[in-house]
Amino acid sequence: MADAMLQLEGVTKSFGELEVLRGIDLEVAKGEVVCVLGPSGSGKSTMLRCINMLEPPDDGQIYLEGTDICKQGGKGESGWDVDYVRRRVGMVFQQFNLFPHKSAIENVALAQRTVLRRGQGEARTKAAALLKRVGLADKLEEYPERLSGGQQQRVAIARALAMDPHVMLFDEVTSALDPELIKEVLDVMRELADEGMTMVVVTHEMGFASDVGDQVVFMDGGVIVEQGKPKDVLESPKEERTKRFLGLVLEH
């Protein structure tokens, strides 16, 4: 556990009668990239939302850098240490969720000012540097409607990085993009991985999972069916459910 950035132990989550997570155990080491695969409805996105406390789990423990962020073990909102999580976990969603009335640099500066209480000058300087880092140095003052989907998603990544996260969560961030725009977003994620960012990536991009992932996790029916090195899971899966899923995905 000493070098574990993230640990999930027996995490469960239901919505009414629907049991979405049924006892998830997962460990992510510092600097590791874990790629999560699985069919729609398998619980992948819900697991990410539990990690960053958008959906606090019903039961189980989640440790972030050794700190139990589920203090009350699922006994209500008052026990969740949401501030601790928000300052350490960045999340990028399938939809870009940018403020349409704010420019790229304003979108990236806003949370720094409201959450981290950075001054306007410091926040804008940081935002400009991050937008340059994701290849958008010439788009600082552009509004979202004038940016392509890939550019908007890169603004969203810069916005998450502006909070200086220790862990980055990516929830199918390329699935709303046209094929020619996917590479520019994946390239930014590859660079983050190369720089040692701890990442949990829900994706259908098998090439990315194979090339960049340290671990691949296959989920179905709210459980982890199989996990291991990308080569093992993607090329020689042991479980029938994994084989069926990969067979369908790799046909397309």
Side-chain angles (χ1 to χ4, degrees):
M1 186 167 170
D3 65 343
M5 177 64 77
L6 192 61
Q7 279 188 310
L8 283 68
E9 296 179 356
V11 170
T12 67
K13 182 67 181 178
S14 296
F15 298 99
E17 296 296 307
L18 181 63
E19 199 176 12
V20 180
L21 297 178
R22 300 188 291 135
I24 298 291
D25 297 316
L26 180 66
E27 184 168 312
V28 182
K30 185 175 182 181
E32 193 172 33
V33 178
V34 176
C35 292
V36 185
L37 314 177
S40 296
S42 58
K44 310 181 300 294
S45 295
T46 300
M47 181 179 75
L48 290 193
R49 293 172 71 86
C50 285
I51 291 171
N52 81 342
M53 287 296 162
L54 281 173
E55 302 284 359
D58 298 328
D59 204 359
Q61 261 60 51
I62 300 177
Y63 297 92
L64 178 59
E65 296 180 295
T67 296
D68 183 0
I69 58 176
C70 305
K71 286 181 176 175
Q72 302 301 314
K75 297 187 178 72
E77 204 54 55
S78 61
W80 309 111
D81 198 349
V82 173
D83 284 346
Y84 179 87
V85 177
R86 291 286 183 272
R87 291 172 180 273
R88 289 165 177 79
V89 180
M91 186 158 176
V92 185
F93 300 87
Q94 181 177 343
Q95 302 302 330
F96 322 124
N97 300 326
L98 301 178
F99 291 108
H101 60 290
K102 291 189 179 295
S103 65
I105 193 168
E106 289 169 337
N107 265 284
V108 179
L110 183 62
Q112 298 181 63
R113 296 175 61 191
T114 56
V115 178
L116 300 182
R117 300 285 183 242
R118 286 180 179 148
Q120 183 172 353
E122 182 186 1
R124 284 181 67 90
T125 298
K126 174 100 174 175
L130 285 168
L131 287 166
K132 180 179 180 182
R133 181 177 174 184
V134 299
L136 295 174
D138 59 337
K139 303 290 185 184
L140 302 188
E141 301 300 339
E142 295 286 5
Y143 287 81
E145 65 177 15
R146 292 177 55 85
L147 299 173
S148 71
Q151 290 169 337
Q152 289 187 60
Q153 193 60 288
R154 285 186 281 155
V155 174
I157 292 172
R159 178 179 58 187
L161 291 173
M163 307 303 285
D164 299 324
H166 300 190
V167 182
M168 283 284 283
L169 310 177
F170 295 88
D171 190 9
E172 299 195 29
V173 297
T174 59
S175 59
L177 299 178
D178 293 332
E180 67 269 20
L181 301 178
I182 289 173
K183 182 180 182 297
E184 64 190 49
V185 174
L186 292 180
D187 284 348
V188 171
M189 294 167 65
R190 288 172 194 270
E191 287 175 18
L192 289 176
D194 289 344
E195 291 165 11
M197 175 65 76
T198 308
M199 296 161 58
V200 183
V201 183
V202 170
T203 185
H204 290 295
E205 299 293 334
M206 296 297 158
F208 179 87
S210 176
D211 296 345
V212 183
D214 296 298
Q215 279 192 73
V216 167
V217 171
F218 174 69
M219 288 181 68
D220 196 12
V223 299
I224 291 177
V225 175
E226 189 164 352
Q227 71 184 99
K229 295 290 183 187
K231 188 175 178 64
D232 296 336
V233 176
L234 297 177
E235 296 180 20
S236 309
K238 295 181 175 65
E239 301 295 328
E240 279 304 317
R241 275 194 284 176
T242 317
K243 290 176 186 174
R244 279 200 309 274
F245 174 78
L246 291 173
L248 290 169
V249 169
L250 296 174
E251 279 176 13
H252 295 289

